[in-house]
């Protein structure tokens, strides 16, 4: 970062209300999830033999219908990732080493450790839920964070690169982190895991299936689509068509999971609230940690916003897949994974408002921009989406 940059306060109002800039599907995601939960409970009470039927189609610990739902849930998300943007970062005067180093430290060191601590603090006597919450904390942000980052006017280029890195790194590192936080670290600390020890291969196999397959499919779809029809067609025509598949597959998976777990949930109605507490604390603490780090390092607002949202967001699709794949659809771990997006989405929408408010209230360093002009969008940015920092 260049020295002695001038400072200014941006007096302009927000370009649009946050919720109006979300699609209808994204805007009401917590409502859809709640309705899916309710539908699952009703289905489970009306069809008590549903679980037995799903077990007949089971492969390992995952029934075939749920496996299809999980794969479809991940595919559109990974088809959105801009793999081609790796190595194309423009020079705007912000040190990439400090930015990416801080983000990766908060995401992969601080985040999992914080969720581990919160899970053992709030769910010490509920090992299944505790394990499920830790699984959520290990799944780092991909794709969905770009929605929050764009609405908050964050740095789109850096957020996109972090999404690519997180997606690739999870294939290699998620199993190791899962084994460490679920088996090794509790043993070192002398915690009673009550038999919930996880083998590294169990997690690795699930990640390879439910992240590796859709990652390869998403990468090939994007590469072939852009090569044949161009990036504009891909971003503006194809992506809007396949994007809703993620929501439909997520809601289908939630309906089935809650149908299977209906008896356990209705007998313990406060379980969802219990699981929600560490998740609420986690998302808030991680976001403010990222925002404070950006301020401390002297980043301009767009980079600070991108940092805070990427470290606070999680890949709840992968967390649900791992919980179901390792422990089964009827497990408490799967229930904890499903509660993740129910809490994350409204919390991060609220934090978008907080970010935009702080953007107006605080003074920020100016960018030492090397772009063609102050209104220039990043290469390939879809029209109609606000330029980061504008």
């Amino acid at each position: 970062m260049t020295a002695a940059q001038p400072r200014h306060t941006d007096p302009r109002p927000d370009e649009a209300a946050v919720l109006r800039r979300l699609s209808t599907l994204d805007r009401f995601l917590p409502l859809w999830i709640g309705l899916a939960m309710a539908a699952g409970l009703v289905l489970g009470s009306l069809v008590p033999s549903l679980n037995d039927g799903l077990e007949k189609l089971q492969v390992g610990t995952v029934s075939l219908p749920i496996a299809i739902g999980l794969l479809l849930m991940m595919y559109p998300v990974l088809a959105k990732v801009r793999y081609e943007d790796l190595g194309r970062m423009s020079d705007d005067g912000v040190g990439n080493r400090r930015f990416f180093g801080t983000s990766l430290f908060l995401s992969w060191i601080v985040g999992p450790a914080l969720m581990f601590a919160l899970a053992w603090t709030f769910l010490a006597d509920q090992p299944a839920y505790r394990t499920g919450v830790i699984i959520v904390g290990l799944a780092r942000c991909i794709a969905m964070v770009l929605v929050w980052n764009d609405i908050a006017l964050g740095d789109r280029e850096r957020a996109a690169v972090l999404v690519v890195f997180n997606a690739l790194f999870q294939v290699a590192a998620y199993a190791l982190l899962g084994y460490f936080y679920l088996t090794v670290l509790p043993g070192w600390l002398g915690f009673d895991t009550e038999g919930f020890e996880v083998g590294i291969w169990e997690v690795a196999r699930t990640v390879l299936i439910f992240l590796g397959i859709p990652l390869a499919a998403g990468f090939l779809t994007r590469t072939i689509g852009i090569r044949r029809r161009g990036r504009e067609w891909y971003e503006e025509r194809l992506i809007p068509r396949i994007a809703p598949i993620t929501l439909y597959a997520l809601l289908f998976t939630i309906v089935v999971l809650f149908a299977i777990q209906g008896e356990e949930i209705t007998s313990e109605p406060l379980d969802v609230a219990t699981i929600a507490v560490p998740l609420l604390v986690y998302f808030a603490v991680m976001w403010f940690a990222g925002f404070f780090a950006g301020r401390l390092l002297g980043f301009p607002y767009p980079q600070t916003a991108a940092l805070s949202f990427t470290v606070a967001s999680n890949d709840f699709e992968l967390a649900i897949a791992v919980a179901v794949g390792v422990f089964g659809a009827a497990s408490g771990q799967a229930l904890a994974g499903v509660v993740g997006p129910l809490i994350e989405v409204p919390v991060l929408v609220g934090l978008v408002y907080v970010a935009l408010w702080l953007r107006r209230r605080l003074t920020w360093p100016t960018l030492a921009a090397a772009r063609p002009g102050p209104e220039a969008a990043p290469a390939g940015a879809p029209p109609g989406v606000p330029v980061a920092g504008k």
Side-chain angles (χ1 to χ4, degrees), residues 39-105:
L41 294 176
V42 172
L43 179 63
S45 64
L46 294 177
V47 189
S49 61
L50 178 63
N51 196 14
D52 295 334
L54 290 174
E55 286 181 354
K56 295 178 182 179
L57 300 172
Q58 192 159 304
V59 179
T61 58
V62 185
S63 70
L64 187 59
I66 294 178
I68 293 173
L70 294 173
L71 290 171
L72 290 176
M73 186 168 60
M74 296 291 291
Y75 165 66
V77 172
L78 292 163
K80 292 180 184 179
V81 175
R82 296 177 178 177
Y83 306 97
E84 68 276 9
D85 283 348
L86 281 174
R88 295 184 180 180
M89 186 62 56
S90 61
D91 180 13
D92 58 9
V94 175
N96 287 331
R97 287 187 179 181
R98 287 200 301 165
F99 178 85
F100 289 114
T102 303
S103 177
L104 298 179
F105 173 75

Side-chain angles (χ1 to χ4, degrees), residues 286-310:
M286 287 301 295
W287 189 88
F288 281 102
F291 202 89
F292 176 77
R295 292 287 293 175
L296 186 65
L297 294 171
F299 292 157
Y301 172 81
Q303 287 70 40
T304 299
L307 179 64
S308 60
F309 282 102
T310 52

